[in-house]
């Protein structure tokens, strides 16, 4: 059995309240008595029950984070930033991956709520978040990040400028002489994929060609087949815009050994600088930090209207997006 505060009091020959004052750093204990209590603590190996302490204050000092995939570098950076903010507020972070499964997202969120987390940060996999309404009504704050919640849920939401970034990439390729620009995006049901397709299409205007668009999960066989089909057209693409970091890497593998086309990817990724890949870079660490800071503002009592910041993105030219047609 773990030693209790009563055990320490008995070993030190003092009242329970005296031990409590020493453990919590409160004044009013004679230095010699405090030394005796600390010696008993060391001898018994006592440590205070943090869970019980925070529960008495109405908090568990934990927050829950649901992301798509903890192994994805983008979400790893976001998660690390959330963890840093949580640590600065004396909280632990519980996290899990939904793997783009709405039912798994719901299961994780409700499991965290059952563990009485103080708040939630969610990268949604689905569009129905009605299951969260009872938790919000009960006072558990939530912040959505990277993608918005479904209809009927108005909470703080932190997004990147997906459409603007896609338009920026497309205009960059057009400025370098390309009029036949392919787009490889993720599943169109995913908010970020749909917004990036919109930005790409808007920037192309009359140059848009449905045959140069593939919206599928980033599997190598799928990407290779799509590129083979596009490159076999009478007027093949001379440039490719990829909708996320995984698609960029997959497209580069599929294009290995070919001459051209030019490539611009949405999202930076490891070694992209060494490979000379032009990207539209967003800042996952900033996104996670802004989301976490919003959450802790709510936990501190801010009851203002929901905020919806949209974070800027930027083009990083490295060579692959500057190749001529």
């Amino acid at each position: 059995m773990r030693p209790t505060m009563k055990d320490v009091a008995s070993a030190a020959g003092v009242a329970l309240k005296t031990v409590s004052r020493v453990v919590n750093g409160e004044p009013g204990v004679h230095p010699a008595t405090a030394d005796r209590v600390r010696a008993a603590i060391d001898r018994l190996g006592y440590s205070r029950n943090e869970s019980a302490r925070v529960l008495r204050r109405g908090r568990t000092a934990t927050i829950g984070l649901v992301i798509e995939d903890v192994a994805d570098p983008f979400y790893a950076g976001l998660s690390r930033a959330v963890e840093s903010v949580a640590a600065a507020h004396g909280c632990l972070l519980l996290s899990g991956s939904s793997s783009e499964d709405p039912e798994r997202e719901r299961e994780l969120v409700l499991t965290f709520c059952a563990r009485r987390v103080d708040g939630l940060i969610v990268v949604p996999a689905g569009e129905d978040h009605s299951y969260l309404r009872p938790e919000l009504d009960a006072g558990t704050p939530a912040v959505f990040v990277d993608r918005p919640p479904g209809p009927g849920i108005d909470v703080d939401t932190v997004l990147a400028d997906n459409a603007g970034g896609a338009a920026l990439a497309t205009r960059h390729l057009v400025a370098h002489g390309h009029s036949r620009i392919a787009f490889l995006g993720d599943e169109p049901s995913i908010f970020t994929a749909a917004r990036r397709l919109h930005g790409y299409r808007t920037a192309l205007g009359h140059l848009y060609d449905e045959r140069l668009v593939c919206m599928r999960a980033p599997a190598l066989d799928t990407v290779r087949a799509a590129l083979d089909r596009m490159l076999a057209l009478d007027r093949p693409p001379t440039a490719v815009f990829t909708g996320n970091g995984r698609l960029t890497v997959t497209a580069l593998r599929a294009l290995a050994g070919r001459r051209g086309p030019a490539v611009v990817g949405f999202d930076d990724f490891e070694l992209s600088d060494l490979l000379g890949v032009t990207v539209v870079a967003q800042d996952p660490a900033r996104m996670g930090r802004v989301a976490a800071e919003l959450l802790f503002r709510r936990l501190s009592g801010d009851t203002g209207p929901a905020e919806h910041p949209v974070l800027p993105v930027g083009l990083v030219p490295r060579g692959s997006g500057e190749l001529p047609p």
Side-chain angles (χ1 to χ4, degrees):
M1 297 290 291
R2 291 183 178 181
T4 66
M5 204 175 284
K6 287 183 179 180
D7 295 327
V8 174
S10 177
V14 298
L16 184 61
K17 182 61 178 177
T18 301
V19 176
S20 176
R21 285 174 175 163
V22 173
V23 168
N24 292 298
E26 298 173 2
V29 180
H30 190 278
T33 303
D35 288 343
R36 197 161 72 249
V37 170
R38 282 190 284 267
I41 288 173
D42 292 340
R43 188 166 66 254
L44 295 175
Y46 167 79
S47 61
R48 68 181 179 181
N49 187 333
E50 290 292 335
S51 296
R53 183 176 68 89
V54 295
L55 278 170
R56 284 194 294 271
R57 297 162 67 182
R59 295 277 182 87
T60 62
T62 58
I63 62 171
L65 170 67
V66 178
I67 54 179
E68 178 195 340
D69 182 0
V70 69
D72 186 307
F74 175 85
Y75 291 113
L78 187 153
S79 177
R80 185 68 184 89
V82 172
E83 185 177 30
S84 294
V85 175
H89 285 82
C91 282
L92 293 175
L93 178 67
L94 306 178
S95 63
S97 301
S98 69
S99 302
E100 289 293 3
D101 180 352
E103 186 55 36
R104 177 60 177 161
E105 171 211 312
R106 178 179 180 276
E107 177 186 333
L108 283 167
V109 168
L110 294 182
T111 296
F112 290 153
C113 289
R115 291 177 178 271
R116 297 181 63 185
V117 294
D118 297 330
L120 294 161
I121 297 176
V122 181
V123 177
E127 297 181 353
D128 180 6
H129 298 99
S130 56
Y131 70 84
L132 193 54
R133 174 52 61 194
E135 303 300 335
L136 296 174
D137 291 344
T140 303
V143 177
F144 278 62
V145 63
D146 193 39
R147 309 165 188 175
I153 302 294
D154 184 24
V155 296
D156 296 324
T157 303
V158 184
L159 303 176
D161 187 6
N162 293 287
L168 180 65
T170 305
R171 288 195 298 266
H172 181 76
L173 289 167
V174 170
H176 282 80
H178 299 278
S179 59
R180 301 286 288 169
I181 303 170
F183 177 64
L184 301 177
D186 214 323
E187 298 287 349
S189 60
I190 297 173
F191 171 81
T192 49
R195 294 302 299 160
R196 292 168 194 176
L197 173 63
H198 175 76
Y200 155 84
R201 184 170 187 166
T202 300
L204 276 181
H206 72 279
L207 297 175
Y208 177 78
D209 185 343
E210 190 75 38
R211 296 174 298 171
L212 298 183
V213 174
C214 177
M215 301 290 285
R216 299 282 181 82
L220 180 58
D221 290 346
T222 301
V223 171
R224 182 178 284 127
L227 287 171
D228 287 344
R229 173 181 58 79
M230 294 174 185
L231 292 170
L233 294 171
D234 291 341
R235 295 180 60 221
T238 59
V240 176
F241 172 43
T242 51
N244 61 45
R246 285 177 295 180
L247 275 164
T248 306
V249 172
T250 304
L252 291 174
R253 288 195 175 109
L255 291 169
R258 301 178 191 251
R259 183 181 178 277
V263 175
V264 176
F266 202 113
D267 284 338
D268 212 349
F269 61 94
E270 190 174 6
L271 301 183
S272 59
D273 54 340
L274 295 180
L275 295 172
V277 181
T278 298
V279 298
V280 173
Q282 52 181 330
D283 189 343
R286 182 182 179 188
M287 185 174 283
R289 187 167 58 252
V290 170
E293 288 169 351
L294 274 171
L295 182 66
F296 281 101
R297 271 175 45 195
R298 299 302 181 186
L299 288 170
S300 296
D302 186 343
T303 58
E307 298 185 19
H308 306 92
V310 177
L311 305 184
V313 298
L315 186 83
V316 184
R318 296 190 178 116
S320 71
E322 293 70 52
L323 297 174

